[in-house]
Amino acid sequence: MYRGRRLRKNPVIRNMMKETRLDKSELIYPLFIVEGDNIKEEIASMPNVYHYSIDRLHEVLDEMISCGIFSCILFGIPAHKDETGSQAYASDGIVQRAIRFIKAYDERFYVIGDVCMCEYTSHGHCGILDEHHDVDNDATLPVLSKIAVSYALAGIDMVAPSDMMDGHIKALREALDEAGFTNVAIMGYSAKFASSYYGPFREAADSAPCFGDRKSYQMDYANGQEAQREILADIEEGADIVMVKPALCYLDIVARAKEHIHTPICVYNVSGEYSMLMQAIYAGLMKEDVIYESVLSMKRAGADMIITYFALYLAQLIDEGGIQ
């Protein structure tokens, strides 16, 4: 008779038999940067996650250094929005200034810039609108390219277009290469679903659409085969890393992709997943162990790296030996 319990007898043997482990180097911490001075303001729907003005950004950078987390992805909230999202590619834009600050503060940081327009447009959609108030895919591509190049000029290491426009990876790769930034990597939000799990983020980034929804460009969460087509398309266009977003409800997409591709896979453990667990912990419904269990499941499914608001907490837990 199979006796699996023999290898679960105590923490020593359980740790020896552990098939999946989290490493701090696999974690990417999202940062929300806002205009203004002396701002460190907790986001109401996301406990322990903050808006930072650039003059207080050093506080979270110091915390990241102390935890051994050196990868971050930046989201900017501008003071001014317009129809074309012009602040997204301004040389003195909020993200561009944040990139320069972080790189000057500690050169060890690997900085990723989210490339999208929803935080910057007055209408909250991820691209240029046509006369029918639909997002014009091909008119949006040059603007996304301008954003990516402006980030590269500021010193970005990687751009991550989250807009879900067709052909955006190819457009950004060509624009970056033409501008001399062949070493700037691209992480595609390749399988980004039209999900309700983004709710807290839209408050944090002030990016909810003023009308309609994003279902014409973000993916239907019923579709798994389509996700694989999107992933393969991004790889063919030149993506260095592909992403599945959200994470927890879409690990089947990650596992299926892992079987067929050799490109690194990132998952985004999104705001709704974070807030859901935090509220359950605060209510006493679950123990904090659920954080490690949830994020480890993403690694077990095949993720090579994880964008998560739990990054600093997990880094401390890993230093303590993780969950035995």
XYZ file of all heavy atoms in Angstrom, residues 2 4 7-8 11-23 26 292 296-303 323:
229
model
N 0.479 2.234 -0.793
C 1.206 3.499 -0.848
C 1.083 4.223 0.487
O -0.019 4.412 1.013
C 0.636 4.361 -1.967
C 1.199 5.762 -2.026
C 2.540 5.985 -2.315
C 0.384 6.864 -1.771
C 3.059 7.265 -2.368
C 0.891 8.157 -1.826
C 2.223 8.352 -2.121
O 2.733 9.618 -2.169
N 2.058 7.626 1.592
C 2.537 8.986 1.354
C 2.865 9.741 2.621
O 3.703 10.650 2.617
N 6.506 10.563 4.087
C 7.309 11.693 3.654
C 6.690 13.034 4.047
O 7.041 14.078 3.502
C 7.512 11.633 2.138
C 8.185 10.357 1.625
C 8.390 10.434 0.122
C 9.521 10.128 2.330
N 5.749 12.969 5.013
C 5.153 14.198 5.551
C 5.275 14.246 7.065
O 4.616 15.040 7.725
C 3.662 14.273 5.180
C 3.363 14.176 3.701
C 1.851 14.223 3.445
N 1.544 13.660 2.136
C 0.558 12.793 1.898
N -0.218 12.375 2.895
N 0.333 12.340 0.678
N 8.586 18.697 9.716
C 8.977 19.791 8.824
C 10.235 19.525 8.011
O 10.356 20.015 6.884
C 9.178 20.981 9.776
C 8.315 20.671 10.954
C 8.381 19.180 11.102
N 11.174 18.754 8.551
C 12.428 18.505 7.842
C 12.169 17.718 6.564
O 12.603 18.111 5.471
C 13.432 17.762 8.745
C 14.680 17.389 7.947
C 13.811 18.620 9.942
N 11.446 16.613 6.673
C 11.208 15.794 5.492
C 10.227 16.493 4.540
O 10.359 16.407 3.309
C 10.701 14.373 5.872
C 10.640 13.462 4.635
C 9.357 14.433 6.567
C 11.979 13.229 3.979
N 9.267 17.233 5.104
C 8.346 17.964 4.223
C 9.106 18.997 3.402
O 8.828 19.181 2.208
C 7.243 18.635 5.052
C 6.229 17.663 5.618
C 4.958 18.377 6.056
N 5.171 19.301 7.160
C 5.113 18.965 8.455
N 4.856 17.700 8.804
N 5.290 19.870 9.393
N 10.072 19.652 4.009
C 10.854 20.645 3.284
C 11.740 19.986 2.232
O 11.930 20.526 1.134
C 11.707 21.454 4.265
C 12.168 22.771 3.673
O 11.416 23.455 2.994
N 13.414 23.118 3.913
N 12.278 18.817 2.544
C 13.085 18.090 1.565
C 12.270 17.694 0.344
O 12.777 17.677 -0.779
C 13.684 16.835 2.212
C 14.795 17.105 3.223
S 15.345 15.588 4.040
C 16.031 14.674 2.661
N 11.011 17.374 0.556
C 10.154 16.882 -0.518
C 9.421 18.005 -1.258
O 8.696 17.739 -2.208
C 9.122 15.895 0.046
C 9.731 14.665 0.703
S 10.884 13.795 -0.389
C 9.800 13.328 -1.727
N 9.625 19.237 -0.847
C 8.889 20.350 -1.443
C 9.250 20.498 -2.918
O 10.413 20.671 -3.266
C 9.204 21.641 -0.676
C 8.221 22.767 -0.942
C 8.563 24.003 -0.122
C 8.402 23.795 1.366
N 6.985 23.585 1.763
N 8.268 20.443 -3.777
C 8.483 20.486 -5.222
C 8.552 21.914 -5.772
O 9.164 22.145 -6.816
C 7.351 19.738 -5.937
C 7.277 18.261 -5.580
C 6.080 17.587 -6.228
O 5.518 18.171 -7.183
O 5.707 16.494 -5.779
N 7.893 22.844 -5.105
C 7.797 24.216 -5.608
C 8.201 25.180 -4.502
O 7.738 25.050 -3.366
C 6.357 24.537 -6.059
O 5.902 23.513 -6.942
C 6.289 25.881 -6.759
N 9.047 26.137 -4.832
C 9.511 27.127 -3.855
C 9.434 28.511 -4.468
O 9.653 28.691 -5.663
C 10.951 26.842 -3.426
C 11.160 25.470 -2.797
C 12.639 25.210 -2.501
N 12.861 23.820 -2.133
C 12.777 23.354 -0.879
N 12.513 24.206 0.097
N 12.978 22.084 -0.620
N 9.136 29.485 -3.630
C 9.169 30.881 -4.043
C 10.546 31.459 -3.760
O 11.156 31.164 -2.733
C 8.130 31.696 -3.272
C 6.679 31.627 -3.735
C 5.811 32.456 -2.793
C 6.530 32.126 -5.160
N 11.004 32.299 -4.679
C 12.259 33.010 -4.483
C 11.989 34.502 -4.641
O 11.185 34.916 -5.501
C 13.303 32.549 -5.507
C 14.682 33.095 -5.189
O 14.996 34.205 -5.650
O 15.441 32.402 -4.486
N 11.873 36.341 -7.988
C 10.757 36.128 -8.915
C 9.607 37.115 -8.691
O 8.634 37.104 -9.436
C 10.215 34.703 -8.743
C 11.253 33.639 -9.028
C 10.929 32.287 -8.402
O 10.080 32.237 -7.486
O 11.534 31.290 -8.830
N 0.741 32.993 1.145
C 1.828 32.163 0.601
C 1.266 31.038 -0.251
O 1.760 30.769 -1.350
C 2.661 31.606 1.758
C 3.966 30.973 1.342
C 5.103 31.744 1.160
C 4.066 29.594 1.139
C 6.308 31.175 0.795
C 5.270 29.014 0.762
C 6.383 29.811 0.591
O 7.576 29.238 0.215
N 2.154 30.770 -4.155
C 2.888 29.560 -4.532
C 2.153 28.779 -5.611
O 2.778 28.168 -6.493
C 3.121 28.672 -3.307
C 4.068 27.490 -3.530
C 5.516 27.968 -3.666
C 3.961 26.473 -2.398
N 0.829 28.805 -5.595
C 0.063 28.082 -6.620
C 0.344 28.637 -8.011
O 0.299 27.896 -8.998
C -1.430 28.155 -6.311
O -1.962 29.444 -6.575
N 0.645 29.921 -8.089
C 0.963 30.540 -9.380
C 2.298 29.998 -9.902
O 2.446 29.718 -11.091
C 1.013 32.059 -9.222
C -0.272 32.645 -8.699
S -0.096 34.370 -8.175
C -1.570 34.544 -7.154
N 3.253 29.859 -9.004
C 4.545 29.291 -9.381
C 4.374 27.821 -9.781
O 4.946 27.367 -10.780
C 5.504 29.425 -8.188
C 6.895 28.847 -8.389
C 7.787 29.766 -9.185
C 9.182 29.160 -9.333
N 9.901 29.090 -8.050
N 3.579 27.081 -9.013
C 3.355 25.667 -9.315
C 2.704 25.484 -10.674
O 2.994 24.529 -11.404
C 2.493 25.040 -8.215
C 2.376 23.519 -8.300
C 1.459 22.960 -7.234
N 0.096 23.423 -7.419
C -0.584 24.144 -6.532
N -0.047 24.506 -5.392
N -1.834 24.519 -6.801
N 1.833 26.401 -11.058
C 1.153 26.309 -12.353
C 2.092 26.571 -13.520
O 1.789 26.190 -14.650
C -0.008 27.297 -12.403
N 3.233 27.239 -13.254
C 4.200 27.459 -14.327
C 4.704 28.878 -14.461
O 5.495 29.165 -15.369
N 4.278 29.786 -13.587
C 4.743 31.167 -13.676
C 6.229 31.255 -13.319
O 6.678 30.665 -12.335
C 3.933 32.065 -12.745
N 6.614 28.874 4.660
C 5.647 28.078 5.400
C 6.137 26.633 5.417
O 6.346 26.023 4.370
C 4.252 28.143 4.740
C 3.781 29.596 4.650
C 3.255 27.300 5.507
C 3.551 30.285 5.962
